[in-house]
Amino acid sequence: MRPILSALLLVVAAGAVAQPVAPGQRLDGIAAVVGEQVVLYSEVDALVQQTTQGREAPPDLWSRALDRLVDQRIVIARARQDTTLNVTDDIVSQRVDQQVAQLAAQVGGEPQLVQAYGRSIDEIKVSVREDVRDELLLQQYQGRRMREVKVTPGEVRDWFDRIPESERPEVPELVRVAHIVKIPASDEAGEARVRAFAETLRDSILAEQATIEDLANRYSDDPGNTNRDGTQNGGLYTTLRLTDLEPRFQAAAAAAEPGDISPVFETPFGYHVLRVNSRDGNRISFNHILLQVEVGEDEAEAARETLSVLRDSIQAGTPFEAIARRHSEEPQSAARGGYVSVPQTRQRDLSAEGLGPQWRATIDTLEVGEISEPAPVTLADAEGTQAFHIVLLQKRTPAHPLSVTDDYALLSQYALQEKQNEVLQEWVDDLRETVYVDIRAEQYQPPAGG
């Protein structure tokens, strides 16, 4: 297993995992040599796929992706030579342990992780260790350089003035919000009923009383079971990468033989019955049925009542931030006292429309400084967890034309990002003169869409 390395923070969104060759593609090979490192064709292909996410790619995207991975390796090569960086074996071991523990938690435990990757825990740790070290070196080395980059008010205004007046967008309504989240406990009786029904469906398939396609069309809760034209597809997914699947689903798919019906298994989305149709390296085709467990009304009411009590405490004088840190069940915002922000930038002025209809319905009932009654919310996690929350509206900025006066903080972020991009690229170009680079991919034909 080769983990995704942190890419250049402003030049590359993410590194790429080397993937097995799909049918019709050229065998994997070395696209470039950078110092003592290599960039594989499959890594470039994976970065292109990650960038396009199914959309049509520009003709030069593959070569630009290769350049970005080469840039990454150049910085890593120089970071390895910098003896002032402090990445000790203890720090690396701690990060490796954390990453492997997170992976194990995602798939349900260490035995499931061993099954999914076909290696022992110690072998997995050994395989990721050097990549983790490189990641830490890269963060320190590049972070030191980027801390030196600042923007002045004059540079922010110059950046704004370069936007033609006719092209200056209107800034949508912005809000600052904080919330306290409670996730209803699952209804154990409901879970048992859903699992039993999944077992019944599986038995029907095994007895050839129905096909998995027919039962998926009749019972599956997976939105992907419906095509864009409204027709149903029998729960079919084709040519997905196994490593792109939810970890527990990935483990079940890896254990299933093509044509077999899997045992019923659980993921954060619900209960599944799976048939793997084909597997070619890391590519997989399958049909599945998803049965979701609805939250029982008693559990939902208990979550709402808890939030009502917390709301009363805040209105009686207990700081919202203190209650959020102690009681909110969404870890990211709870750690910040309930404040909601963009994860990558910590930007707190958020588009009211972009928060989604559930948030908007709650926010529209509030004046600045007010706290909402408990309301339903779908959390922005991988599982789309259904929960309840109370919302504090801290600030509301009406929609308005973009201006330096009203939007300086936002403009300064954009101006700083552009300046960091320029400084970083100049820096990498200078580093290229000190690191051996051999591009070997001139004759390589990237896969369709790349």
Side-chain angles (χ1 to χ4, degrees):
M1 177 180 70
R2 178 183 175 84
I4 299 177
L5 277 173
S6 292
L8 298 178
L9 299 180
L10 298 170
V11 174
V12 186
V17 179
Q19 301 294 345
V21 179
Q25 290 187 12
R26 183 188 297 259
L27 289 174
D28 203 2
I30 296 174
V33 178
V34 182
E36 298 179 351
Q37 307 170 84
V38 298
V39 178
L40 301 176
Y41 291 135
S42 57
E43 293 182 86
V44 188
D45 294 344
L47 181 54
V48 169
Q49 292 166 3
Q50 182 184 47
T51 303
T52 58
Q53 296 184 340
R55 300 185 299 271
E56 184 176 355
D60 64 341
L61 182 59
W62 198 91
S63 61
R64 288 193 284 119
L66 173 59
D67 285 341
R68 290 176 178 180
L69 290 173
V70 169
D71 286 346
Q72 180 196 67
R73 300 297 203 276
I74 288 171
V75 178
I76 290 173
R78 289 309 307 268
R80 287 175 175 178
Q81 298 170 1
D82 191 330
T83 59
T84 66
L85 298 178
N86 183 28
V87 178
T88 65
D89 288 341
D90 287 344
I91 293 173
V92 175
S93 296
Q94 182 179 11
R95 181 65 65 89
V96 168
D97 290 343
Q98 289 173 349
Q99 290 194 2
V100 173
Q102 289 170 359
L103 285 172
Q106 289 172 356
V107 300
E110 289 188 357
Q112 289 82 355
L113 183 64
V114 170
Q115 180 184 22
Y117 289 100
R119 300 183 181 185
S120 70
I121 293 297
D122 287 341
E123 288 172 334
I124 293 173
K125 289 182 178 181
V126 169
S127 70
V128 304
R129 188 174 183 83
E130 285 310 306
D131 282 343
V132 168
R133 183 184 298 277
D134 283 341
E135 181 178 357
L136 293 169
L137 286 170
L138 184 66
Q139 290 172 352
Q140 281 195 25
Y141 193 56
Q142 182 175 292
R144 179 189 298 172
R145 180 73 175 187
M146 290 301 101
R147 281 196 296 270
E148 302 170 1
V149 182
K150 310 290 183 184
V151 287
T152 66
E155 288 174 321
V156 174
R157 180 171 291 279
D158 288 343
W159 187 90
F160 175 73
D161 289 342
R162 293 203 304 272
I163 306 173
E165 190 167 350
S166 61
E167 297 179 13
R168 292 173 186 172
E170 181 172 272
V171 178
E173 179 187 7
L174 302 176
V175 293
R176 288 189 183 183
V177 290
H179 70 162
I180 296 170
V181 176
K182 283 293 176 184
I183 301 172
S186 61
D187 179 351
E188 292 184 6
E191 284 205 17
R193 286 193 299 271
V194 171
R195 184 177 189 105
F197 186 51
E199 295 284 3
T200 299
L201 296 182
R202 180 176 185 269
D203 290 343
S204 296
I205 298 168
L206 292 175
E208 299 184 353
Q209 296 172 344
T211 66
I212 192 170
E213 290 86 353
D214 290 340
L215 296 181
N217 288 339
R218 291 173 61 186
Y219 299 111
S220 183
D221 294 320
D222 182 6
N225 191 53
T226 302
N227 299 319
R228 291 183 180 180
D229 61 3
T231 60
Q232 293 181 300
N233 58 35
L236 176 64
Y237 286 82
T238 60
T239 62
L240 290 181
R241 290 186 299 177
L242 186 63
T243 48
D244 285 341
L245 299 173
E246 191 279 332
R248 296 183 204 176
F249 197 106
Q250 179 187 139
E257 293 296 328
D260 289 349
I261 303 299
S262 75
V264 172
F265 63 95
E266 184 183 8
T267 74
F269 299 98
Y271 290 95
H272 303 257
V273 178
L274 166 75
R275 183 189 69 205
V276 173
N277 300 321
S278 64
R279 188 163 48 233
D280 185 353
N282 193 43
R283 299 285 174 175
I284 187 170
S285 170
F286 61 86
N287 291 73
H288 87 124
I289 300 169
L290 167 65
L291 300 179
Q292 294 181 319
V293 182
E294 295 186 3
V295 174
E297 184 54 37
D298 289 344
E299 289 73 19
E301 184 58 30
R304 286 192 289 261
E305 289 179 357
T306 299
L307 288 170
S308 293
V309 171
L310 296 177
R311 182 176 184 269
D312 291 343
S313 296
I314 296 166
Q315 292 181 324
T318 305
F320 187 98
E321 294 87 344
I323 294 288
R325 287 191 174 95
R326 287 202 300 267
H327 297 286
S328 183
E329 294 177 346
E330 185 190 44
Q332 286 187 336
S333 62
R336 299 190 293 270
Y339 297 161
V340 180
S341 63
V342 179
Q344 296 83 356
T345 64
R346 299 293 179 91
Q347 171 65 28
R348 294 212 52 227
D349 291 316
L350 309 173
S351 164
E353 196 65 36
L355 284 169
Q358 288 180 321
W359 276 90
R360 189 64 193 251
T362 302
I363 292 169
D364 285 349
T365 67
L366 300 175
E367 299 293 332
V368 173
E370 288 186 338
I371 302 172
S372 74
E373 297 288 343
V377 64
T378 301
L379 300 182
D381 55 15
E383 296 82 28
T385 301
Q386 303 301 306
F388 292 89
H389 66 170
I390 51 176
V391 177
L392 168 64
L393 178 61
Q394 297 171 301
K395 179 181 177 183
R396 188 195 301 272
T397 304
H400 60 278
L402 184 68
S403 72
V404 174
T405 303
D406 295 330
D407 306 298
Y408 181 83
L410 180 64
L411 290 170
S412 65
Q413 287 184 8
Y414 287 129
L416 176 61
Q417 184 177 40
E418 181 175 289
K419 186 173 181 179
Q420 286 177 326
N421 277 334
E422 293 171 353
V423 169
L424 184 58
Q425 192 57 60
E426 291 175 0
W427 181 50
V428 172
D429 289 343
D430 289 341
L431 292 180
R432 274 181 178 260
E433 302 300 320
T434 66
V435 176
Y436 172 77
V437 177
D438 178 16
I439 305 296
R440 301 183 179 181
E442 288 86 351
Q443 304 303 318
Y444 177 66
Q445 296 298 317

